[in-house]
Amino acid sequence: MNTTSPLGRVLRVGRIYTLPYLSLSALATAATITSALLWHHLVLIIALPAGMLLGLSAVSDLIHRRADARALRGRDDTPLLLISLALAGLSVAGAAILVGGARLIPGALATIVSSILYAAAKSVPGLSNILRGVAGASLLLLCAAVAGPITPATVQIALAFAIIDAGGNLWGDVRDQEPDTRAGTRTLAVVAPQAAPWVAWGLFGVALALFAEILAFPWLLVLLPLGAMPWRAGRACHLHALVIKYVIAALVAVRVSSMLVPFAIILLVAGLLTIPAYQQIHRVRLVS
C-alpha cells in the first residue's frame, strides 16, 4: 500500500486494518437482537463503523498532531486533510443514522463523545484504555440498535467486546512505548512498563470468560493462552493482539448466529489480508 497516495492516506488515517474487526463484532452484537438480520440492516451495520472509524480517527489524529511530531511517527497529514476526512466519515455515519432512524442518535452521540474523550485522555494512564473500551461498546450498541431495541444480552456482548478492545488498545500502548516516551505521553505502558502486559493479558482473559459465560461456550477459554502471545512479540505485539481479536470475534459471531458464518469467514480473511497494510503503516514486522 502506498501511504503517500490519496487513497493510501485515507486508508492509513481510517485504520483500515480495524474495519473488518469492527464490522464483525458489530454484526455479532446486532445478532443478539435478531438472528435474521435483513439486508438493509447489514448495509447500515457495515456503514456505521466505516464512517465512524474514518471520521473519529481523523479527529484523533488532529488532536495528536503535535504529539505525533514529537514522537517522530512520520505522520505528515495536514489539518485540512484531517478535517476533510473527519467530515467525510461522519457524513457517511450521519447518512446511515438518518436512514436507521432517531433511535440511533443516542448511540451515535455516545460514540462521538467517548471517542473524543479517549483521544484527549491519551496521557492519563489507564483511563485512555478504559475510554477506548467505552467508545467501542457505544459503537457496537449503536450498530445493534439498527436491528431493534437493545436487550440485556446485547449489552453483555458489547461489554465483553469493550473489555477486549481496552486490552487490545493497551497492547498498542506497549507497542508505542518508545515513541510515546519521546512525545511525553504518559500511557500505562510508559509509567508501568512491567505491569502493562499483565493488565492487557488480564483484560483478554476477562473478556473471554464473559463471552464463555454469556454464550454458554466454555471451550472459548482455550483461547486464553493466545492472549499472552503478544507478550513475546516485541514491537509487533499490537498486531498479534489484533489477529487474536479477529479470531475471537469470528468465533463469537458464529456462536451467536449461524447466519453469520459466511460473514465471519469473509471478514476474518479480510482482516488477515490487511496485515501488510498494518505493517507498512506502523513499520513493524510480524515477528520481531
Side-chain angles (χ1 to χ4, degrees):
M1 184 182 75
N2 180 8
T3 57
T4 61
S5 68
L7 178 59
R9 287 180 178 271
V10 173
L11 296 179
R12 183 183 67 185
V13 172
R15 278 61 162 179
I16 183 61
Y17 50 84
T18 299
L19 181 56
Y21 166 79
L22 283 178
S23 299
L24 185 55
S25 56
L27 286 170
T29 306
T32 62
I33 296 176
T34 172
S35 59
L37 293 171
L38 302 178
W39 280 108
H40 75 276
H41 292 154
L42 296 173
V43 171
L44 291 178
I45 292 171
I46 297 297
L48 280 168
M52 286 290 189
L53 180 61
L54 176 59
L56 294 173
S57 294
V59 171
S60 178
D61 284 356
L62 191 62
I63 293 173
H64 294 148
R65 279 192 81 245
R66 292 184 179 179
D68 286 343
R70 291 195 300 270
L72 305 177
R73 296 186 198 274
R75 296 175 182 169
D76 58 352
D77 300 310
T78 65
L80 179 60
L81 174 63
L82 294 175
I83 292 171
S84 298
L85 293 179
L87 292 174
L90 294 177
S91 295
V92 170
I97 291 167
L98 286 175
V99 173
R103 69 178 182 274
L104 303 185
I105 294 176
L109 293 176
T111 302
I112 293 171
V113 170
S114 56
S115 296
I116 293 174
L117 288 175
Y118 156 68
K122 187 66 174 176
S123 283
V124 183
L127 178 60
S128 62
N129 308 118
I130 294 172
L131 288 171
R132 172 61 183 83
V134 171
S138 299
L139 178 59
L140 295 184
L141 292 175
L142 164 63
C143 293
V146 169
I150 300 298
T151 68
T154 308
V155 175
Q156 290 177 323
I157 289 288
L159 175 61
F161 274 120
I163 294 172
I164 205 170
D165 284 348
N169 184 253
L170 182 52
W171 279 123
D173 290 342
V174 173
R175 176 201 65 199
D176 292 339
Q177 180 185 352
E178 292 181 11
D180 282 339
T181 300
R182 287 195 299 268
T185 304
R186 300 177 70 254
T187 65
L188 185 61
V190 170
V191 301
Q194 299 301 319
W198 284 100
V199 176
W201 181 57
L203 289 170
F204 269 60
V206 171
L208 282 173
L210 280 175
F211 281 130
E213 174 66 22
I214 296 165
L215 302 174
F217 189 22
W219 285 106
L220 193 62
L221 290 174
V222 303
L223 295 181
L224 183 56
L226 291 179
M229 281 180 59
W231 212 317
R232 307 289 297 177
R235 293 178 61 208
C237 58
H238 181 253
L239 176 55
H240 282 240
L242 184 64
V243 172
I244 294 166
K245 285 171 59 177
Y246 268 110
V247 173
I248 294 172
L251 291 175
V252 169
V254 170
R255 182 69 176 182
V256 170
S257 171
S258 59
M259 173 193 175
L260 295 181
V261 171
F263 294 98
I265 295 173
I266 292 170
L267 290 171
L268 176 60
V269 172
L272 296 178
L273 290 176
T274 65
I275 287 177
Y278 178 102
Q279 292 173 296
Q280 186 170 357
I281 290 170
H282 292 285
R283 297 182 176 89
V284 298
R285 298 189 304 276
L286 183 58
V287 178
S288 58

